[in-house]
Amino acid sequence: MANQVFTDGPTLNDGVKMPWLGLGVWKTKEGEEVIQSVKSAIAAGYRMIDTAAIYGNEEGVGQAIRESGVSRDELFITTKVWNDDQGYEKTLQAFETSRKKLGLEVVDLYLVHWPGRDKYLETWKALIHLQKEGLVRSIGVSNFQIRHLKHIIEETGVVPVVNQVELHPLLSQKELLAYARENNIVLEAWSPLMQGNLDHPVLAQIAEKYGKTTAQVILRWDIQNGVIVIPKSIKEHRIRENANIFDFELSSEDMAAIDGLNENKRFGSNPDEFLF
Ligand SMILES: NC(=O)c1ccc[n+]([C@@H]2O[C@H](COP(=O)([O-])OP(=O)(O)OC[C@H]3O[C@@H](n4cnc5c(N)ncnc54)[C@H](OP(=O)(O)O)[C@@H]3O)[C@@H](O)[C@H]2O)c1
């Protein structure tokens, strides 16, 4: 059994429990690189992995899971349908491809990767079907703005369990977080470490006070805000460092100081501009 901190996490609106911390594998190369990083993470205690069809490394993720020595039911695996595959039928096909590459019978969480312009509702309906069929445990979305969330909920009555969005101290997503809380949706932070751009005087000062690194302080801030985190690293020492966040607590003053750093700055694409 894993150390409990790695399985601890919010109970989603469909009753499934999801860990607070997972390993992200965007830009992690298919083959040895992804196999080693996923294995290192699982050995360090991680029980959640975040991949996507577009990352091109689902086969390596699947291999690492099988070789990890940890039983499948202890792990929580997320993948996502890519933009080119949106639409009802294409999504069902894309899911089957991802499931085969991962070598899984059931995917824990399947996400609509980006809303785009006008196919996300049909794509969402395909995810509802996959969940009914028992092929995915939970279904959610990524990069959805409030209007996209309202639209799919109004049309289908099914509330996504999570919305995975860019979220970090320079983009704290306060409005989206408030809407998510009101509607029983959990936010999951992508690029939580600002893609490695961690130099910031206020964060460094807080980190020093707790004897932690800037990365650890940011990840702790997320979790204390009820936000799931999926930091990416291919380096074993950083994979361990990023998980060492369950033995301290930020004071409300320090939480507020980090909240105050918001600049609405994005390192990735803006969903309002990334249209397809
Ligand atoms: N849904 C979406 O549209 C979407 C978009 C982007 C990302 N994501 C997901 O979110 C995950 C995380 O986001 P991300 O990969 O963009 O960026 P991130 O996790 O914010 O940062 C990763 C970068 O920071 C470095 N790093 C990791 N830990 C560190 C530490 N403790 N100290 C210093 N540097 C550290 C990594 O380098 P090394 O690897 O060399 O350690 C890498 O360059 C992705 O892997 C993916 O699963 C989803």
Side-chain angles (χ1 to χ4, degrees):
M1 283 293 286
N3 183 335
Q4 199 200 323
V5 294
F6 289 100
T7 51
D8 223 17
T11 299
L12 307 174
N13 68 35
D14 60 0
V16 170
K17 201 166 171 205
M18 181 168 178
W20 286 121
L21 171 74
L23 178 77
V25 297
W26 180 40
K27 292 188 179 161
T28 304
K29 293 193 194 79
E30 177 61 305
E32 265 322 289
E33 190 168 279
V34 79
I35 292 167
Q36 283 318 318
S37 74
V38 172
K39 280 185 172 175
S40 297
I42 295 175
Y46 287 61
R47 291 297 177 261
M48 192 243 286
I49 309 295
D50 183 87
T51 185
I54 193 68
Y55 301 169
N57 55 23
E58 288 170 312
E59 288 183 40
V61 168
Q63 186 177 333
I65 293 168
R66 287 189 297 281
E67 293 175 1
S68 70
V70 170
S71 73
R72 167 68 186 98
D73 59 5
E74 283 189 48
L75 298 168
F76 189 104
I77 310 302
T78 303
T79 193
K80 316 181 189 91
V81 53
W82 185 240
N83 306 343
D84 297 343
D85 290 318
Q86 285 214 14
Y88 192 86
E89 288 301 331
K90 281 180 95 175
T91 296
L92 297 183
Q93 285 164 21
F95 174 76
E96 205 41 39
T97 303
S98 284
R99 193 169 75 102
K100 285 214 176 83
K101 283 189 174 167
L102 286 162
L104 298 177
E105 275 183 44
V106 175
V107 170
D108 296 283
L109 176 61
Y110 199 41
L111 303 179
V112 182
H113 207 144
W114 288 88
R117 210 182 292 272
D118 55 10
K119 289 198 193 132
Y120 61 88
L121 177 60
E122 288 309 304
T123 306
W124 180 240
K125 288 180 182 169
L127 267 58
I128 294 171
H129 174 78
L130 290 167
Q131 189 181 32
K132 282 201 180 116
E133 293 288 300
L135 295 167
V136 296
R137 287 168 74 213
S138 294
I139 53 175
V141 296
S142 178
N143 300 302
F144 274 40
Q145 304 282 45
I146 292 174
R147 69 175 187 285
H148 303 118
L149 294 167
K150 283 187 173 159
H151 184 206
I152 60 168
I153 295 167
E154 272 164 22
E155 290 291 330
T156 66
V158 181
V159 180
V161 294
V162 306
N163 185 17
Q164 184 184 114
V165 295
E166 181 175 354
L167 193 159
H168 44 67
L170 301 183
L171 180 71
S172 55
Q173 300 270 25
K174 276 284 152 356
E175 209 187 328
L176 195 56
L177 186 57
Y179 176 85
R181 284 184 181 141
E182 280 163 26
N183 290 277
N184 213 359
I185 299 166
V186 178
L187 287 194
E188 191 180 358
W190 64 252
S191 297
L193 303 179
M194 304 183 282
Q195 302 184 358
N197 295 286
L198 289 164
D199 280 343
H200 193 291
V202 174
L203 294 170
Q205 203 182 12
I206 295 173
E208 197 185 341
K209 188 157 93 185
Y210 291 87
K212 290 286 180 182
T213 65
T214 300
Q216 289 167 332
V217 163
I218 295 174
L219 298 171
R220 183 71 210 179
W221 167 77
D222 281 305
I223 291 173
Q224 284 183 219
N225 266 327
V227 173
I228 290 172
V229 289
I230 45 171
K232 173 261 180 188
S233 180
I234 54 168
K235 300 188 173 69
E236 191 173 347
H237 71 281
R238 286 181 173 169
I239 290 173
R240 290 182 181 274
E241 173 188 331
N242 295 342
N244 194 2
I245 54 173
F246 298 103
D247 61 351
F248 74 114
E249 188 164 345
L250 295 166
S251 67
S252 49
E253 291 78 20
D254 290 327
M255 289 292 290
I258 301 171
D259 284 341
L261 301 179
N262 182 48
E263 296 175 6
N264 291 330
K265 178 179 168 62
R266 291 180 187 271
F267 293 88
S269 300
N270 183 334
D272 291 330
E273 291 157 12
F274 190 40
L275 299 174
F276 51 89

